[in-house]
Amino acid sequence: MAFVTQHQIQKFHKDGFLVLEHFFTAEECDSMRNQIQRIIAEMEVPPHCRTEFSTKEEEQLQAQGSSDYFLTSGDKIRFFFEKGVLDERGNFLIPKEKSVSKIGHALHAYDPVFKQITHSSKVQELGRKLGLERPVVVQSMYIFKQPGIGGEVTPHQDATFLHTEPLGRILGFWIALEDATRENGCLWFIPGSHT
């Protein structure tokens, strides 16, 4: 696979990240965007988001429902919303396609479009070139950056969120499906911070 040079691989190991322009074709990016729109069109609001609560105890139950919904999402396709987009009965205050923060965490396992791309030969070959020996896809998600709403994502390392033994044995593939710029919120890296 000629698109990754030995120099780029060395730079990846030194810096902890690698940027590959046009790794996926425009058609592949379109297919992922179109598929996510179909998924949103069929989306049901989770029951814990449709709870009208009035007491501290009921608020705690709702928060527990949110935690359980998140923690048990590893083998499902689930919806996570921006703050303030649902009323107390779980009805959308804004168009539902603008309310979603992310969809996860098993698109790679249960959606045919994302499964095909995640397990494509070029992704497998890239993983091999970057040194993966027996890789396992532990999660996948579609993250939205909705205009005008949503909180800041503070600096972090994904490896601290996903428990592995030994620690840090995780590699993230981030696919920008639209142009990511400084103005609209691109991803930032600190070279060498993976060490």
Side-chain angles (χ1 to χ4, degrees):
M1 191 172 274
F3 65 86
V4 182
T5 66
Q6 196 57 41
H7 174 72
Q8 287 174 308
I9 292 169
Q10 288 168 350
K11 193 162 171 48
F12 166 74
H13 290 298
K14 177 178 171 275
D15 293 343
F17 66 92
L18 174 63
V19 177
L20 297 174
E21 299 277 346
H22 309 292
F23 181 78
F24 291 103
T25 66
E27 292 76 23
E28 287 169 319
C29 293
D30 287 344
S31 73
M32 288 185 271
R33 281 196 303 268
N34 293 337
Q35 184 67 359
I36 218 69
Q37 292 308 315
R38 284 191 285 275
I39 290 170
I40 289 173
E42 297 169 11
M43 170 178 72
E44 302 260 342
V45 177
H48 74 273
C49 292
R50 292 199 176 274
T51 307
E52 186 172 2
F53 48 86
S54 56
T55 68
K56 279 284 185 207
E57 184 181 351
E58 286 166 329
E59 286 182 29
Q60 288 170 348
L61 287 172
Q62 194 264 357
Q64 181 63 46
S66 295
S67 294
D68 290 345
Y69 184 77
F70 180 84
L71 292 171
T72 60
S73 67
D75 61 349
K76 298 168 190 70
I77 296 175
R78 289 195 165 164
F79 303 94
F80 302 92
F81 301 94
E82 295 288 0
K83 283 188 172 68
V85 299
L86 298 167
D87 68 16
E88 66 277 359
R89 290 186 177 84
N91 298 312
F92 290 104
L93 297 168
I94 63 172
K96 71 179 183 178
E97 66 275 6
K98 298 290 184 200
S99 69
V100 183
S101 172
K102 75 174 179 175
I103 299 174
H105 287 101
L107 288 163
H108 67 279
Y110 296 110
D111 179 83
V113 171
F114 290 96
K115 186 175 190 175
Q116 179 181 7
I117 286 172
T118 302
H119 299 285
S120 67
S121 59
K122 66 180 165 185
V123 169
Q124 291 179 29
E125 180 64 18
L126 177 60
R128 277 191 288 277
K129 288 205 171 212
L130 296 179
L132 300 179
E133 292 174 17
R134 292 190 325 249
V136 175
V137 180
V138 293
Q139 72 173 20
S140 54
M141 63 186 103
Y142 194 107
I143 300 174
F144 300 79
K145 297 295 181 190
Q146 304 291 3
I149 62 171
E152 175 190 12
V153 178
T154 56
H156 66 281
Q157 288 182 319
D158 285 351
T160 64
F161 290 96
L162 298 164
H163 180 77
T164 59
E165 290 182 12
L167 185 65
R169 294 298 300 254
I170 193 145
L171 180 63
F173 286 66
W174 186 79
I175 306 163
L177 296 178
E178 298 172 6
D179 290 338
T181 66
R182 289 181 180 195
E183 289 71 35
N184 71 9
C186 63
L187 199 58
W188 290 77
F189 299 94
I190 300 173
S193 62
H194 63 302
T195 61

